[in-house]
Amino acid sequence: MTVAPGTLVLAGTPIGDLADAPPRLAEELAGADVVAAEDTRRLRRLTQALGVTPKGRVVSYFEGNESARTPELVEELVSGARVLLVTDAGMPSVSDPGYRLVAAAVEQGVRVTAVPGPSAVLTALALSGLPVGRFCFEGFLPRKAGERLTRLKEVAEERRTLVYFEAPHRLDDTLAAMAEVFGAERRAAVCRELTKTYEEVRRGGLGELAAWAADGVRGEITVVVEGAPEKGPEEVDAAELVRRVRVREEAGERRKEAIAAVAAEAGVPKREVFDAVVAAKNAGHV
């Protein structure tokens, strides 16, 4: 007799106020065959607050044992178990353990579902006062200064709103680096201790926020940064347009392609570049 695979349930947990726990979370905690928790002590506090006792086996599942424990949990799932995955706060897999288990479960044909819950990313984004129509989540930046700058430069021209997590003791350095790469006037919001007693959202330019954070900031931090402004056409005179075309031609490009490329990078019509090149040729400059 073939046993049908079980189900992996990813459960969102409160990011601060335990009263924010979704009703289904208590049901899943009570009914799961296995509860895999990032921190079993924090899980105990959560179950006590919800007035529920897990009937299944409780195991730890954190960064240090994620690789080793994933095959064990997949074996349980393949055998028909319902496995509930919870992390300390927010949604599993989002800067928390979970991705490896989801990928392995999917590969084995196991059903994966979720109990949606609070999210620091979406909460901070909504509270920031910055554009929310398009955004991207960048997680934690590298700890080393050089690597951090490199990562920031990769998204310096990103038009979407950016969302980051950061440790409080690195916040001042991160904001200073952002001000250096994105510009001190780029708007941002530092969201601290979301949904907790001392929740605070500090809004302003990156330079202003970096100066504020220099005195030290406590708590769990989410940083939201406005995307890069839309670029308008460059103010490039005819001589500069001709020079750029000449540089491309000397590098081996055909004139037609060179004119099209220069027009695109300068944000002007191709006809304008073509006319500048013809005028320079007639004047004996090309």
Side-chain angles (χ1 to χ4, degrees), residues 230-236 263-269 272:
E230 183 175 358
K231 285 188 172 181
E234 285 186 71
E235 292 186 9
V236 181
E265 70 183 21
V268 298
E272 183 176 334

Side-chain angles (χ1 to χ4, degrees), residues 2 25 67 92 140 155 191 226 230 244 261:
T2 302
L25 178 57
S67 295
F140 284 93
V155 293
C191 303
E226 183 178 34
E230 183 175 358
R244 294 185 185 185

Side-chain angles (χ1 to χ4, degrees), residues 25-127:
L25 178 57
E27 297 175 15
E28 292 289 351
L29 284 167
D33 299 303
V34 180
V35 178
E38 185 177 10
D39 186 329
T40 55
R41 292 167 300 180
R42 293 188 68 161
L43 172 66
R44 192 176 303 115
R45 289 198 290 272
L46 176 62
T47 55
Q48 288 173 348
L50 297 178
V52 62
T53 301
K55 76 164 188 180
R57 186 164 58 94
V58 174
V59 299
S60 63
Y61 188 78
F62 58 98
E63 186 177 358
N65 72 355
E66 191 174 1
S67 295
R69 181 137 285 167
T70 293
E72 299 174 17
L73 293 175
V74 170
E75 187 175 340
E76 297 262 14
L77 287 163
V78 171
S79 298
R82 189 173 187 86
V83 176
L84 179 70
L85 177 61
V86 295
T87 53
D88 290 350
M91 202 69 192
S93 294
V94 182
S95 284
D96 274 331
Y99 168 74
R100 285 189 180 90
L101 182 55
V102 172
V106 169
E107 186 176 345
Q108 292 297 319
V110 172
R111 177 173 178 260
V112 181
T113 187
V115 177
S119 164
V121 175
L122 296 180
T123 302
L125 187 68
L127 295 178

Side-chain angles (χ1 to χ4, degrees), residues 137-271:
F137 175 56
E138 289 289 308
F140 284 93
L141 286 166
R143 297 181 182 184
K144 295 183 179 178
E147 294 175 3
R148 183 166 55 231
L149 282 174
T150 298
R151 182 74 61 80
L152 289 172
K153 288 176 181 177
E154 291 174 357
V155 293
E157 301 302 321
E158 174 58 64
R159 299 267 303 282
R160 293 171 294 180
T161 298
L162 302 161
V163 184
Y164 295 88
F165 287 160
E166 191 51 280
H169 62 278
R170 289 197 298 269
L171 180 63
D172 55 343
D173 289 336
T174 291
L175 291 172
M178 287 178 171
E180 178 184 341
V181 176
F182 300 153
E185 300 305 314
R186 179 83 71 90
R187 293 189 301 163
V190 175
C191 303
R192 186 179 72 85
E193 294 290 89
L194 289 171
T195 78
K196 300 178 184 176
T197 302
Y198 298 105
E199 176 181 283
E200 177 182 17
V201 180
R202 191 91 176 193
R203 306 174 182 86
L206 284 168
E208 173 191 344
L209 291 172
W212 162 74
D215 292 332
V217 178
R218 294 181 178 181
E220 302 211 355
I221 306 293
T222 305
V223 180
V224 185
V225 184
E226 183 178 34
E230 183 175 358
K231 285 188 172 181
E234 285 186 71
E235 292 186 9
V236 181
D237 61 23
E240 174 61 15
L241 293 173
V242 172
R243 185 193 70 78
R244 294 185 185 185
V245 170
R246 185 169 61 247
V247 168
R248 286 179 172 274
E249 285 186 301
E250 291 172 351
E253 282 190 33
R254 295 172 56 191
R255 177 165 292 183
K256 182 178 180 180
E257 284 73 24
I259 287 174
V262 169
E265 70 183 21
V268 298
K270 286 189 287 186
R271 186 71 194 185

